[in-house]
Amino acid sequence: MNPSVLAIDVGTTSVKAAIISLEGAQVAAATAGYATRRPRPGRVEHSPEEWWTAACNATQELFATPGVDASRIVAVGLSGMAASHVLLGEDGSVLAPAMIWQDTRATTEAAALADELGDETLVAALGRDIGLSASMQAARMRWLRDRAPKLLAQTRTILGSKDYLLYRLTGELATDRTSTAGFCHIGTGELHPAMAAATGVGEDLLPVRREPTAVGGEVHAVASAATGIPVGVPVAVGMIDSWCNILGAAVSEPGDAWDTAGTAEVVGVAAAAESELARTTGMRFLTGVALSYGVTQCGTDAFTWYAETFPEADRRGAELSGSALFRRLDEVAARAPAGSAGMLFLPYLEGERSPFADARARGGFHGVQRAHARRHFVRSVLEGVAFSVRHVLEHHERRGEVRAERVVVTSGGAKSRLWNQIKADVVGRPFVSLNVTDAGSVGAAILGAVAVDRYTLPEAIERMVRVAALIEPDAANRAIYDELYELYLELTPALRPIHHRLADLQSKGETDA
């Protein structure tokens, strides 16, 4: 085995561990899952201890793979879901379940905090004009201050998801500016005094902020015994999963666009560093370009929801699961025509974040008739997510005053050739897939390689990112989807009052504990 980097990502459903060679080949990969708990509407939680257990299981599986040599690991690169927060006590123990990015319990607090700070102060504090949503750390700190003050009083450190792994691997407490971006300034990592005062959380509760390519620590003996990673291997601080995916998609020039087709879709485009976008958002990427992107609330998770809600069986009647289930549903969707015979799916199963923020948005199938069959429903889910991708991309192209000529698609959804084709047809641009669909692992590996001086950042991108296929849009399908997309844009605001009333009925009578 050639010298390689171990990439570890804390995701919504599992920890993914992958060994990526310095030439960009995936040597081996493993995943280990954990439960997502929804104790009441709006609350979505994970156990950080289960993240660690999953990381140990995944890495041990990797090192048991024939041909894998742990001694050839030169660094560890970390990635993790954004807007997921761990509260540690004085002794380093976890005080409560982690609130992950889908958690919207702080919706009221987000609105109150935004009103109290005002637009000017909020932009100064965050370094960008994006408003304040329930998933952002600032809103959650306000929620803790107002609704769980005893828990906040016991808290000594607040970590992001990948920061917790850094702590368990090395014993060091550190983070980066992407992980504190919903609380601190995205460009500097600094905490604004007004934000600290309005949330009750000061600098003393935040770990030191370092560059993603900095070495955060070295694997200690206890972690080595649990994971199989040799003692002393350097661990890069890393960054949030969306930025690791952007890095692994080689976003480095104005007009580069990407679609990270994960549990949520992260869709955006790069603009020039000297653009108005760069001056107003502060979203300067590691490669020097300015970023404009949005994160939806439900991407491949819509497909997962459908698979879980409407089980599929093989010819013998045995229920399918895992990759076999998704391959079957792909085959089913391929038998339906473009446009799903006039059916339209809104993918707002967990509310929505981008290109509009509405925690009370609701999903649904529209235009359903007796003639519609299973294949139409499955394809409609794929198309609904594709419409949301186009919605987000066009919004950010306007914002960045730039047009993307092609879109690099990565992550789990990129494994579906049909879905990539649907997205290309809906968006009307070629979609590019990579030889390693999990670009987040490649991005984390790039950070690890740079941290130990194997490459400069441009060298690592050039050597470690490889294109696999180019999917051109189908002109006939594009015409159908253009018309359906217009209806998609009309339907969302038209149904908003009804969605809000339904959300109010769901929460009626509930109280916070």
Side-chain angles (χ1 to χ4, degrees), residues 397-481:
E397 285 179 318
R398 289 191 296 270
R399 193 165 179 250
E401 298 181 314
V402 64
R403 175 180 169 81
E405 296 305 318
R406 64 180 196 171
V407 181
V408 177
V409 60
T410 66
S411 199
K415 297 176 183 178
S416 169
R417 171 76 190 207
L418 174 64
W419 211 345
N420 292 343
Q421 185 66 63
I422 289 173
K423 287 178 176 178
D425 296 345
V426 167
V427 176
R429 328 281 172 81
F431 267 57
V432 178
S433 62
L434 304 176
N435 72 319
V436 179
T437 56
D438 182 15
S441 291
V442 176
I446 287 172
L447 296 176
V450 174
V452 295
D453 297 323
R454 291 291 179 138
Y455 293 127
T456 64
L457 187 63
E459 289 171 344
I461 293 171
E462 182 179 358
R463 294 290 299 276
M464 299 177 71
V465 181
R466 302 178 181 177
V467 170
L470 180 70
I471 301 99
E472 296 282 357
D474 180 285
N477 290 347
R478 174 67 195 278
I480 295 170
Y481 286 135

